[in-house]
Amino acid sequence: MNIPKGYRFAAARAAFKYEGKLDLGAIVSDTPAVAAGVFTTNKFQAAPVLQCKEMLADGRKISAIMGNSGQANACTGEEGRANCRETLNLAARALGVPADEILPASTGVIGAQFNMAKWEAVMPSLAESLGDDPELTAKAIMTTDTVHKLAEASFELKGGEVRLIGMCKGAGMISPNMATMLSFIACDADVSAEAWQTMLSDCVNLTINRVTVDGDMSTNDCVLALSNGRSGVAIESEDDYILLRKHLLSVLEELAYKIVMDAEGGTKVAFIEVSGAKTDADAELVARAVGNSPLVKTALFGSDPNWGRIICAAGYSGANFRAEDLVLKIGGVLVFRNGTPEPGDMDDLLAPIMAKRDIVIHLDVGDGPGSTMLLASDLTKEYISINADYRS
Amino acid sequence: MNIPKGYRFAAARAAFKYEGKLDLGAIVSDTPAVAAGVFTTNKFQAAPVLQCKEMLADGRKISAIMGNSGQANACTGEEGRANCRETLNLAARALGVPADEILPASTGVIGAQFNMAKWEAVMPSLAESLGDDPELTAKAIMTTDTVHKLAEASFELKGGEVRLIGMCKGAGMISPNMATMLSFIACDADVSAEAWQTMLSDCVNLTINRVTVDGDMSTNDCVLALSNGRSGVAIESEDDYILLRKHLLSVLEELAYKIVMDAEGGTKVAFIEVSGAKTDADAELVARAVGNSPLVKTALFGSDPNWGRIICAAGYSGANFRAEDLVLKIGGVLVFRNGTPEPGDMDDLLAPIMAKRDIVIHLDVGDGPGSTMLLASDLTKEYISINADYRS
């Protein structure tokens, strides 16, 4: 990979939950970096989420991100907050950066308290592992993911090359805003904190906030992004800004697709496009209802062109549109309009489309300006197995 | 069963979808009956739903209900409406009642048009089957139900005995308002149309509108209720009204429980109680989020006391409450309060509770007057099998 300058990566085995799996990772910037974050809107926010929000509120620079899998440190009260701060002290000593410049992130089982002895014991090997391989860090934050997820981008400005990499973990408890999901971005541009936060929020909203696996929004979701300026390339003009934003967007788009592609037990990716709605919010209601419908998702899994379930979900979405205006296309094939199915053997036409991995479902619901796009996974027996047995 | 006076029941095999299964049923009242109905709020309403609403709007008396399984006659446009009316003409000739006194109901695959030749062919055997056995009619409306669902009640007034029976089909596409679900009630009280409709709407709202299997609300949901006065017992005083309402409620409660107990692939029934909310609507948001969460539902299936998922769902429900006020009890055991898990080995305490079929989950979210109760099924591999292969 084309690694941005001034970053090192670490990963270690703490055995927080399972033996023999990397479960603690870190990204260290040799130069304190401008930092931005986007967080879950769940009312119950995990200790590391609260910690990050507090730290980012004062605009300080950040030298490291540390993420663990296996334990979420959510719904753990004051003890959880204190444990979170103590892990930063331990990491500060091991990694040689100030504790108040380390952003924490956790994912895993909700409600259990950290085993602090394990945190203390793992720190030397975390520090020793520091190197130039982001893949191991991406692996350390995996829970039920079957593959680690990385994306990269780079571009030239007159001052030189700017590089970005992103990593994330996804799998389950994904949606309706963001995913159960930790996502870390490292960039070496010299950009202002305000501009970096604005473009991160925008890009997350267009990508990771538009995926749904199971409609569950976790207590721990966060996207953390650093930019350390080590490329020596300053983002100054409007054009520079647009170019950096474009590449940040492409990194997040790739991560979002990878999350849905590797959804727990998932075998399909549905691109649910809604247009013609009165407002974007109405379009969103339709897309979420279709993308979260267990009946639509099981039909996707079964490659069953059972389009009535899509119409049905749009009908109970609560969106403001007229039933007779809805036009449904699947994979470009016109299926339903004017309240009536198109004539012909739709099953024959749709069977090869439904058999594919990526399926485009387009709902036009009127002549309004509102639109959206949502990536949705299917719902499979494997999802049930994973989640019925997750803790055992 | 204690059958209300003046009703006969019919069932026949039309082979609308499968061979060898009863798929057309009827309830005929020898005396035109006061009728009431409650219908899906889905924007796409099936032809029979539109037909019933039109017929009930003018307060006419009704002589029969006819229901078929296998085909929903939903999303079928004008042709579907015309076909629906034609089935009433066919039934009128066969059953000897006026076509404009027959309420139709359909359930099954959305989008396909009726095969009218099959409707015509089946009518003689439907008429021949007329008798006093409601069980066969209850079987005829089953789709993926594994058992037919009947409930009965009776009570004495000074004028004599009043009898009610109810039947329904449930299984999948259940919620958020009503269920994919046809439910027919027959009663022999002499009651006014207004009182009958009011008590039906109230009772449905307290029972069948409070179950969720998969969060999908169908295009065909309806509860149709007849009361033909043949007991000779008039409902006149406030006390009479309260007594009839109480027994109607008990019939609907039993049907609602049976729907969740026989949810597609279901193995558990969760009683999700929410109290202390600012409003009933807030309580409802919490209960629906918990009851529809795939992660909560898979934990139920796995008998896994993974209570963090319940808190998490409450947290993203959108309900207005303070996180620190939430108190969670499962099967009476205090699990979480003040933002902190209770001390002790919760898994040990909860394991025997989670192993049961019926599980009570109580969330108290403050000191407000809002409360609700919701019956929710679990989510299982069998649900996926049923719905991925439903049409094949």
Side-chain angles (χ1 to χ4, degrees):
Chain A
M1 293 190 84
N2 197 1
I3 308 292
K5 287 187 182 166
Y7 291 97
R8 286 174 303 154
F9 304 89
R13 292 179 168 81
F16 291 129
K17 183 163 168 241
Y18 300 112
E19 301 290 330
K21 176 197 173 306
L22 291 167
D23 54 5
L24 182 63
I27 302 174
V28 178
S29 176
D30 295 339
T31 309
V34 156
V38 179
F39 301 94
T40 180
T41 56
N42 195 303
K43 210 177 268 285
F44 294 91
Q45 305 204 323
V49 168
L50 296 170
Q51 182 70 24
C52 284
K53 287 167 84 170
E54 204 174 287
M55 291 170 69
L56 291 177
D58 62 12
R60 78 182 76 172
K61 294 211 170 176
I62 293 296
S63 294
I65 295 171
M66 174 170 68
N68 74 281
S69 61
Q71 294 204 279
N73 198 6
C75 297
T76 48
E78 277 311 310
E79 185 180 344
R81 288 299 304 273
N83 282 342
C84 178
R85 285 188 295 268
E86 183 53 22
T87 64
L88 301 183
N89 292 331
L90 293 170
R93 287 196 286 277
L95 301 173
V97 295
D100 61 2
E101 293 181 12
I102 306 174
L103 295 175
S106 298
T107 178
V109 177
I110 297 172
Q113 298 289 359
F114 277 162
N115 177 332
M116 295 307 295
K118 289 189 177 179
W119 279 89
E120 206 162 342
V122 74
M123 283 299 165
S125 66
L126 185 71
E128 270 164 37
S129 74
L130 273 170
D132 57 5
D133 187 0
E135 194 175 309
L136 295 178
T137 311
K139 284 180 175 166
I141 55 174
M142 288 166 61
T143 51
T144 55
D145 305 67
T146 65
V147 291
H148 66 279
K149 300 170 183 69
L150 284 164
E152 63 182 315
S154 61
F155 60 99
E156 292 280 343
L157 284 186
K158 62 179 184 301
E161 189 180 25
V162 171
R163 298 165 189 184
L164 298 100
I165 67 163
M167 63 181 64
C168 72
K169 64 80 55 180
M173 212 187 258
I174 301 287
S175 175
N177 261 301
M178 306 197 27
T180 270
M181 201 217 51
L182 306 180
S183 178
F184 306 148
I185 310 287
C187 174
D188 58 12
D190 175 11
V191 58
S192 78
E194 296 70 29
W196 189 232
Q197 178 67 55
T198 303
M199 81 179 80
L200 181 71
S201 298
D202 285 359
C203 292
V204 166
N205 203 31
L206 289 170
T207 55
I208 290 177
N209 274 354
R210 303 216 171 178
V211 305
T212 183
V213 169
D214 50 19
D216 277 289
M217 173 170 51
S218 122
T219 48
N220 289 58
D221 301 337
C222 66
V223 182
L224 301 172
L226 307 183
S227 198
N228 66 5
R230 283 289 300 278
S231 64
V233 182
I235 303 299
E236 287 168 332
S237 69
E238 181 74 9
D239 282 355
D240 297 349
Y241 179 92
I242 289 170
L243 211 55
L244 178 57
R245 184 184 184 285
K246 176 184 151 189
H247 287 87
L248 177 62
L249 185 66
S250 93
V251 166
L252 284 163
E253 268 172 354
E254 188 174 337
L255 293 178
Y257 181 83
K258 286 182 171 177
I259 286 172
V260 179
M261 198 175 69
D262 189 35
E264 285 176 345
T267 67
K268 304 272 188 174
V269 180
F271 293 73
I272 301 170
E273 302 170 351
V274 180
S275 61
K278 291 213 163 48
T279 63
D280 285 351
D282 277 309
E284 189 82 7
L285 284 174
V286 172
R288 298 268 173 207
V290 173
N292 286 328
S293 159
L295 290 169
V296 171
K297 292 166 101 77
T298 47
L300 287 170
F301 171 53
S303 298
D304 178 359
N306 198 337
W307 53 265
R309 295 179 179 178
I310 298 169
I311 307 266
C312 180
Y316 66 68
S317 66
N320 179 12
F321 69 93
R322 297 189 310 169
E324 59 270 35
D325 287 343
L326 186 142
V327 179
L328 172 67
K329 290 181 187 173
I330 300 176
V333 173
L334 180 61
V335 173
F336 184 83
R337 65 174 160 180
N338 296 326
T340 316
E342 287 298 291
D345 188 338
M346 214 40 84
D347 285 8
D348 262 15
L349 271 170
L350 294 179
I353 292 165
M354 295 299 295
K356 291 186 183 147
R357 169 160 200 132
D358 291 355
I359 298 166
V360 178
I361 296 173
H362 187 105
L363 298 112
D364 190 84
V365 295
D367 51 13
S371 68
T372 194
M373 207 277 284
L374 180 73
L375 294 187
S377 66
D378 56 346
L379 179 60
T380 70
K381 292 175 204 177
E382 185 63 16
Y383 176 90
I384 310 289
S385 293
I386 291 167
N387 286 297
D389 312 333
Y390 180 46
R391 300 209 316 180
S392 46
Chain B
M1 293 191 84
N2 197 2
I3 307 292
K5 287 187 182 166
Y7 290 98
R8 288 174 300 153
F9 303 89
R13 291 179 168 81
F16 292 127
K17 183 163 166 244
Y18 302 111
E19 300 290 331
K21 176 196 171 307
L22 291 167
D23 54 5
L24 182 64
I27 301 175
V28 178
S29 176
D30 295 339
T31 309
V34 157
V38 179
F39 301 94
T40 181
T41 57
N42 195 304
K43 207 176 269 283
F44 294 90
Q45 305 204 324
V49 168
L50 296 170
Q51 181 70 24
C52 284
K53 287 167 84 169
E54 205 174 286
M55 290 169 70
L56 291 178
D58 62 13
R60 77 181 76 171
K61 294 210 170 178
I62 294 296
S63 295
I65 296 171
M66 174 171 66
N68 74 282
S69 61
Q71 294 204 280
N73 198 5
C75 297
T76 48
E78 276 311 309
E79 186 180 343
R81 288 300 304 274
N83 282 342
C84 178
R85 284 188 294 267
E86 183 53 22
T87 64
L88 300 184
N89 292 331
L90 294 170
R93 286 195 286 275
L95 302 173
V97 295
D100 60 3
E101 293 180 13
I102 306 173
L103 295 176
S106 298
T107 178
V109 178
I110 297 172
Q113 297 289 0
F114 276 162
N115 177 332
M116 295 308 294
K118 289 189 177 179
W119 278 89
E120 206 163 340
V122 74
M123 284 298 164
S125 64
L126 185 71
E128 271 165 37
S129 73
L130 272 170
D132 57 6
D133 187 359
E135 193 174 310
L136 295 177
T137 312
K139 284 180 175 167
I141 55 174
M142 287 167 63
T143 50
T144 55
D145 304 65
T146 64
V147 291
H148 66 279
K149 300 171 183 69
L150 283 164
E152 63 181 315
S154 60
F155 61 99
E156 292 280 342
L157 284 184
K158 62 179 185 300
E161 188 180 25
V162 172
R163 301 165 186 183
L164 298 100
I165 67 162
M167 63 180 66
C168 72
K169 63 81 56 180
M173 211 188 259
I174 302 287
S175 175
N177 261 301
M178 307 197 28
T180 268
M181 201 215 54
L182 306 180
S183 178
F184 306 149
I185 310 286
C187 174
D188 56 15
D190 175 10
V191 59
S192 78
E194 297 69 29
W196 188 233
Q197 178 68 56
T198 303
M199 80 178 82
L200 181 71
S201 299
D202 284 359
C203 292
V204 166
N205 203 32
L206 289 170
T207 55
I208 289 178
N209 274 353
R210 303 218 169 175
V211 305
T212 182
V213 169
D214 50 19
D216 276 290
M217 173 169 52
S218 122
T219 48
N220 289 60
D221 301 336
C222 67
V223 181
L224 300 174
L226 306 183
S227 197
N228 66 6
R230 283 288 300 278
S231 62
V233 182
I235 303 299
E236 287 168 333
S237 69
E238 182 73 10
D239 282 355
D240 297 347
Y241 179 91
I242 289 170
L243 211 56
L244 178 57
R245 184 184 184 283
K246 176 184 151 190
H247 287 86
L248 178 61
L249 185 66
S250 93
V251 166
L252 285 163
E253 267 171 355
E254 187 174 337
L255 294 177
Y257 181 83
K258 285 182 172 176
I259 286 172
V260 178
M261 198 175 68
D262 190 36
E264 285 177 344
T267 67
K268 304 272 187 175
V269 180
F271 293 73
I272 301 170
E273 302 170 351
V274 180
S275 61
K278 291 210 164 47
T279 64
D280 286 351
D282 277 307
E284 189 83 9
L285 284 174
V286 172
R288 297 269 174 207
V290 172
N292 286 327
S293 159
L295 290 168
V296 171
K297 291 166 102 76
T298 47
L300 287 170
F301 172 53
S303 298
D304 178 359
N306 199 338
W307 54 266
R309 294 179 179 177
I310 298 168
I311 308 267
C312 179
Y316 66 68
S317 66
N320 180 11
F321 69 92
R322 298 188 311 168
E324 59 269 35
D325 288 343
L326 186 142
V327 179
L328 173 67
K329 289 180 187 171
I330 300 177
V333 173
L334 180 62
V335 173
F336 184 84
R337 64 173 159 182
N338 297 325
T340 315
E342 287 297 291
D345 188 339
M346 214 42 84
D347 285 6
D348 261 17
L349 272 170
L350 294 178
I353 292 165
M354 295 299 295
K356 291 184 182 149
R357 168 160 200 132
D358 291 356
I359 298 167
V360 178
I361 296 173
H362 187 105
L363 298 111
D364 189 84
V365 295
D367 51 13
S371 68
T372 195
M373 207 279 282
L374 181 74
L375 294 187
S377 67
D378 57 345
L379 179 60
T380 70
K381 292 176 205 177
E382 185 62 18
Y383 176 91
I384 310 287
S385 293
I386 292 166
N387 286 296
D389 312 333
Y390 179 46
R391 298 209 318 180
S392 46

